[in-house]
Amino acid sequence: MIISESEILNAKILIVDDREANVALLEQMLSDAGYSLVSSTMNPQEVCALHEKNNYDLILLDLQMPVMDGFQVMEGLKANEKDSYLPVLVITAQPGHKLRALQAGARDFISKPFDLVEAKMRIHNSLEVRLLYNKLENYSKLLEETVRERTGELLKSNMQLTLEIEERKKAEESLLVTYAEIKQLKERLQAENVYLQQEVARQSNFGEIIGQSSALSRVFSQVEQVAPMNATVLLLGDYTLRDDAITEELRRHGRAG
């Protein structure tokens, strides 16, 4: 991730100092360095509102000011800042204030009296870090949004897949039931076919005997049982259904007597 020189020179900078001479010197220095979006105020009480409105990339903040000093301004900025990064570079002539300012959230400092070369370098470095932070924040937000979108898509796909699996399971269960019914029907048809074949064979063997009563069926069954045997068969009972035909059939098989 790289910040271009053009991005740095187009960063928004606010100068906060109660001395007009210091403001004029810093404005001239930044203008000579090529910075194009520089504004200033000598009223520290309006800094928070200005930053809320313009979202500065860097605030050059003098620490020693009447009514409201730089530390109080930083407290107000921290309370209103939308992120944890406080874009403040403090201006101080007191060595002891530098550490305190950094602990309060300042990113760097410029010493008084100004060393213009050092001041330009510190401003440039602070802006580069700030703009990198902004890009990182934007990439993080974009990544979070992408993750949310992809998560939503995956959840939707997972839900759809779950529904499809449920439908497939139902279809498979229905097919298993249908298969069991078909198997039962097939077995029944096979049994009926065997029965019909037996009936056809029986009717073929006893073609001259006509009848469908249970008594006659028993006679057919008995004739079939004894026909293959080498024995004499005696028929007894009331022959009301063509006894002569039954006798003839047995005679034909060589068993009547």
Side-chain angles (χ1 to χ4, degrees):
M1 190 185 304
I2 299 174
I3 301 298
S4 68
E5 192 66 19
S6 175
E7 289 177 295
I8 292 174
L9 294 178
N10 286 308
K12 291 181 289 185
I13 302 174
L14 175 66
I15 301 171
V16 185
D17 198 309
D18 63 319
R19 295 186 180 183
E20 188 174 354
N22 289 339
V23 172
L25 179 60
L26 289 171
E27 285 180 337
Q28 187 61 50
M29 179 193 70
L30 293 172
S31 177
D32 292 343
Y35 292 97
S36 59
L37 300 176
V38 180
S39 57
S40 63
T41 180
M42 290 189 291
N43 182 5
Q45 293 176 310
E46 66 178 11
V47 173
C48 291
L50 287 172
H51 182 54
E52 180 71 21
K53 178 181 178 181
N54 299 300
N55 192 26
Y56 295 107
D57 297 302
L58 184 64
I59 299 174
L60 302 178
L61 177 64
D62 186 26
L63 288 179
Q64 292 181 306
M65 293 181 289
V67 183
M68 186 177 187
D69 64 22
F71 293 105
Q72 291 173 309
V73 173
M74 281 194 288
E75 286 298 318
L77 288 171
K78 287 173 67 176
N80 295 314
E81 185 66 12
K82 295 183 174 110
D83 54 52
S84 59
Y85 192 99
L86 195 62
V88 173
L89 191 155
V90 297
I91 302 169
T92 182
Q94 301 294 328
H97 286 170
K98 295 176 183 179
L99 179 59
R100 181 184 169 193
L102 293 175
Q103 291 173 339
R107 296 299 158 182
D108 204 349
F109 57 86
I110 298 176
S111 299
K112 290 181 181 179
F114 296 130
D115 180 332
L116 296 184
V117 174
E118 179 187 4
K120 285 191 288 187
M121 181 191 69
R122 290 182 181 276
I123 290 170
H124 185 280
N125 291 343
S126 295
L127 282 170
E128 187 174 18
V129 172
R130 172 60 175 175
L131 296 176
L132 281 170
Y133 181 86
N134 287 346
K135 277 194 174 182
L136 181 61
E137 283 289 295
N138 291 334
Y139 285 145
S140 296
K141 291 176 182 177
L142 180 60
L143 179 60
E144 288 176 2
E145 182 63 27
T146 302
V147 169
R148 279 195 297 268
E149 290 178 358
R150 291 293 298 135
T151 301
E153 292 173 1
L154 290 173
L155 287 174
K156 185 177 180 181
S157 298
N158 185 58
M159 185 178 296
Q160 183 65 31
L161 181 60
T162 301
L163 291 175
E164 290 177 0
I165 291 173
E166 290 297 325
E167 290 296 324
R168 182 171 295 181
K169 287 174 65 176
K170 291 179 181 178
E172 290 177 352
E173 291 173 358
S174 178
L175 286 174
L176 289 174
V177 172
T178 304
Y179 174 76
E181 293 175 350
I182 292 174
K183 184 178 180 181
Q184 291 177 356
L185 181 60
K186 181 180 178 181
E187 292 174 351
R188 191 173 70 184
L189 289 174
Q190 289 176 340
E192 291 179 355
N193 185 49
V194 170
Y195 173 77
L196 291 173
Q197 287 180 353
Q198 292 175 348
E199 287 297 314
V200 169
R202 180 177 294 175
Q203 291 179 9
S204 298
N205 290 333
F206 304 100
E208 297 180 0
I209 304 175
I210 300 174
Q212 296 181 346
S213 68
S214 58
L216 190 58
S217 295
R218 287 196 299 272
V219 171
F220 290 160
S221 178
Q222 292 172 353
V223 169
E224 287 180 342
Q225 292 175 11
V226 300
M229 299 172 60
N230 186 17
T232 299
V233 177
L234 175 63
L235 295 177
L236 298 175
D238 296 330
Y239 294 90
T240 59
L241 297 175
R242 304 228 11 218
D243 298 341
D244 54 341
I246 296 174
T247 303
E248 179 60 29
E249 187 63 26
L250 289 172
R251 185 177 293 113
R252 186 166 63 84
H253 284 84
R255 297 293 179 266

